[in-house]
Every structure is written in structure tokens, then in C-alpha cells.
Amino acid sequence: MENKKKNPVASIILTLVCILWMYPIVLILINSLKKEAAITTSGVFSLPTSETWNGVANFVASVTQMDFLKSFWYSLVISVMSVVLIMLCCSMAAWYIVRVNGKLSKIFYYLCVFSMVVPFQMVMFTLAKTADTLKLNNPYNICIIYLGFGAGLAVFMFTGFVKGIPLEIEEAALIDGCSPLQVYFKVLIPILKPTIISTAILELMWVWNDYLLPTLVLDIKKYRTIPMAVQYFRGSYGHVQMGPMMASIMIDIIPIIIVYLVCQKYIIEGVVAGAVKG
């Protein structure tokens, strides 16, 4: 087997792109360790010194001021419930679309795909009113709204993967005495594992970092997710507590970065499998 030659130009370009993507995160981390007075327009790009070093004081301030534990709980509940609901409902829907393959199932599939190109701003005011009417304006019911917005990507990826699964596997399970639900949970779910993990990570990053939808739907006086709580470091007369705000942003992105690093190998596998099969 011949060894593929590495393209130095492509390596340089991808390295530069990686640096550009990482630079904002590094910049936030640097400023989260500085004193408030040192985070200025001229000094924002400079490294902390002995005079500007503030250690973990900004992180302590951000946790105590924004009621971190409560905000973390709301973000965790919304993210986990939304992702689980999206994975369960959309994988079932994709299975139905592929195996039935009728006119109604095709129309449903194209509606799901079309939903990915509809701007959120077109529906946000109607959505806020509907959420209040249907009592979806709390952290435990908002997952239904996220299901609607996340179904497009999930159904698209699951449908592409299910098309590559031989029907004979499911028929053999039915002959052995499995019910349709047993076929789904015991046969289909293990095969769909790479796509489920990759899609779940993509949906989790979206829901965890979402600011606009919870702000429109939830009661901001009672329920604040972490992205919502970050905004409350902006005081009166336009004053912003830059140190605690930078620290709170780091606290917000660290969990999702850890999840991404742990599961990153599944993302490429699942995206490629869902995109090219069938």
C-alpha cells in the first residue's frame, strides 16, 4: 500500500485556520485572569503581568454574582432533555420515512429539510406567543420547541444512515419474534450509534450555547440559562464587568469543549455516514 504524500500547502492553511478559530478562546481566557482595570481597548491583547494578574478572583465573582449553580442546572436540564427528545423522535421518524417510502413520508422528509433554511427571526414573535399559550415557557417544557427546530438536521442525517442499513437485518429480527419496537431498540439503535453520537454532540452544542430562544420564551426573572446569566454583568449606564463576564464565558464553553474533545472521533464518522449512505 502506497503512502499518501502530505500536502504542505494544505497543512499550512489548515494550521492557520485552526489558530484563527482558537484565538478568540485564548483571548477570553487571558482576559479572564486580569484585573478589571487592565481589560481595556489598548491592553486587551496583552498577556497578564504581576500587576494585572487577578487569578481566579474573576471566576469566583462570576459564580457568586450570576447564581451559577441554578443557571447551570437550567442549562443542563434544557440541553439533556432536548437532545434526548430529538434523538429519540428523529431517529424513529427517519426509520419510518425510509421504510415506508410513501408520498406522505417524502413530504414530511422535505418539510424537515426545508425547516433548516427558515430564518428563526421569521417565527420568533409568533413562537413566543404560542409558547406562553401552551405553557412551554419553562425549562422543563422548552425541549418541545427545541425538538421542532432541531428535527431538520437530525432527520436529514438519520435518514441518510438508515438508507444504508439492509432491510434483511430487520426482517430477520421480525422472523425471530421481535416486535417493531424491539427491532428499533435492539437492532437499529446499536447500528445507528455513530450517527446518534455525532448528531447529539452537534445538537448539544447548539442548545447549550443558545441565547435567543430561551430569552424569548422563558421568564428571565425566574429562569436564566448560563448564556442568559452572562448578560447580567452589564450594569447601569452601559458599564460592563469585563473580568467576571470573561470568566463566565469560559465557564460556559468549558463543558461543551470537554464533551467535544471526548467524542470528536464520532462526529466525522457519523457525519460522513449520514451524508453519503443511500
Side-chain angles (χ1 to χ4, degrees), residues 165-173:
I165 300 176
L167 181 60
E168 290 78 9
I169 297 177
E170 299 172 25
E171 292 176 342

Side-chain angles (χ1 to χ4, degrees), residues 54-65:
N54 203 28
V56 297
N58 289 331
F59 289 88
V60 174
S62 66
V63 169
T64 55
Q65 291 183 34

Side-chain angles (χ1 to χ4, degrees), residues 11 18 34 36 42-43 49 65 80 89 103 109 124 138 150 160 194 206-207 209 219-220 229 236 242 258 264-265 272:
S11 299
C18 181
K34 293 180 182 178
E36 186 74 19
S42 59
T49 63
Q65 291 183 34
V80 172
C89 295
K103 290 185 178 180
Y109 171 73
M124 61 182 186
N138 61 74
W206 161 55
V207 177
N209 294 313
D219 185 349
I220 60 176
S236 59
M242 294 301 299
I258 293 174
Q264 62 177 333
K265 66 177 182 178
V272 172

